[in-house]
Amino acid sequence: MAFVLSLLMALVLVSYGSGGSLGCDVSQNHMLVGRKNLRLLGQMRRISPRFCLQDRKDFAFPQEMVEGGQLQEAQAISVLHEMLQQSFNLFHTESSSAAWDTTLLEQLRTGLHQQLDHLDACLGQVMGEEDSALGRTGPTLAMKRYFQGIHVYLQEKGYSDCAWETVRVEIMRSLSSSTSLHKMLRMMDGDLNSP
């Protein structure tokens, strides 16, 4: 349980850092939405991951790219955006509607959409038209491939309850790994000392 809570807290930090990070003004409302999303992800657990050990899989999260510290600001924001977009897409399928409590799922979708809107504004601030290729190369492409593997896994497992639980845990893990991207962006913005 403590591990799950630490993952949830990391997701809050990634998604809604202090004001000024990501070159954007993050309001108190964004912090509240982030906390709510974390509670929703925790509440969505329907079965214990211990019952699904046979369904575990290494999805090959591109951790070295995400934590390597070699990304430029625009790349880091693009990767974070891609993670949220792919998570939104994953939880916005017909099969996810059958797997999760409808009320919790709809609330999570709304929260992820709000996060994406915020990062869209950030992307607009740091990326011009010449940077539009970022989504088709490097770290952002690696993130797309990672999520494609998750989609294939779900399909191969017939969208079973254990497959969805495995994916829910994986998504939480991957989003928590992006904390280093958030720290890097804060340093770029000169905002490392903010709470």
Side-chain angles (χ1 to χ4, degrees):
M1 184 66 174
F3 178 70
V4 172
L5 291 175
S6 65
L7 288 176
L8 292 175
M9 288 309 297
L11 180 58
V12 166
L13 292 173
V14 169
S15 302
Y16 299 107
S18 61
S21 64
L22 299 178
C24 302
D25 180 26
V26 180
S27 69
Q28 183 64 27
N29 185 48
H30 287 288
M31 294 295 291
L32 295 173
V33 171
R35 288 183 193 118
K36 181 179 179 183
N37 286 341
L38 292 178
R39 284 191 305 272
L40 292 169
L41 284 168
Q43 291 170 0
M44 286 174 67
R45 184 177 121 175
R46 291 178 39 198
I47 56 177
S48 172
R50 290 181 296 156
F51 296 122
C52 301
L53 294 177
Q54 75 281 1
D55 290 295
R56 286 191 312 179
K57 177 175 175 59
D58 179 4
F59 292 99
F61 178 71
Q63 190 150 356
E64 289 179 13
M65 277 193 189
V66 173
E67 294 183 354
Q70 299 173 3
L71 299 178
Q72 300 297 320
E73 183 178 23
Q75 289 175 312
I77 292 171
S78 178
V79 168
L80 286 172
H81 187 275
E82 188 65 30
M83 289 176 77
L84 289 170
Q85 183 65 59
Q86 291 289 341
S87 296
F88 177 82
N89 293 348
L90 187 65
F91 289 110
H92 209 274
T93 61
E94 187 174 323
S95 58
S96 71
S97 296
W100 306 109
D101 174 272
T102 307
T103 303
L104 294 175
L105 184 62
E106 191 55 42
Q107 290 173 3
L108 179 64
R109 290 172 179 168
T110 299
L112 288 170
H113 189 266
Q114 290 172 347
Q115 289 178 294
L116 285 166
D117 282 348
H118 176 253
L119 280 181
D120 282 341
C122 293
L123 279 172
Q125 290 177 18
V126 298
M127 291 175 59
E129 287 184 27
E130 67 277 1
D131 293 324
S132 64
L134 281 176
R136 296 186 301 272
T137 60
T140 305
L141 182 59
M143 194 58 61
K144 287 179 182 182
R145 288 181 180 148
Y146 164 73
F147 275 93
Q148 181 60 36
I150 290 172
H151 284 282
V152 168
Y153 166 82
L154 283 167
Q155 187 175 21
E156 288 174 350
K157 292 289 186 175
Y159 303 95
S160 70
D161 288 345
C162 273
W164 272 112
E165 180 58 23
T166 300
V167 166
R168 185 188 69 83
V169 171
E170 176 68 18
I171 296 300
M172 291 173 62
R173 186 187 70 78
S174 66
L175 289 173
S176 72
S177 293
S178 62
T179 301
S180 61
L181 279 178
H182 187 259
K183 289 177 184 175
M184 180 187 71
L185 289 168
R186 288 176 63 193
M187 285 193 304
M188 288 178 179
D189 288 339
D191 195 30
L192 187 60
N193 295 321
S194 295

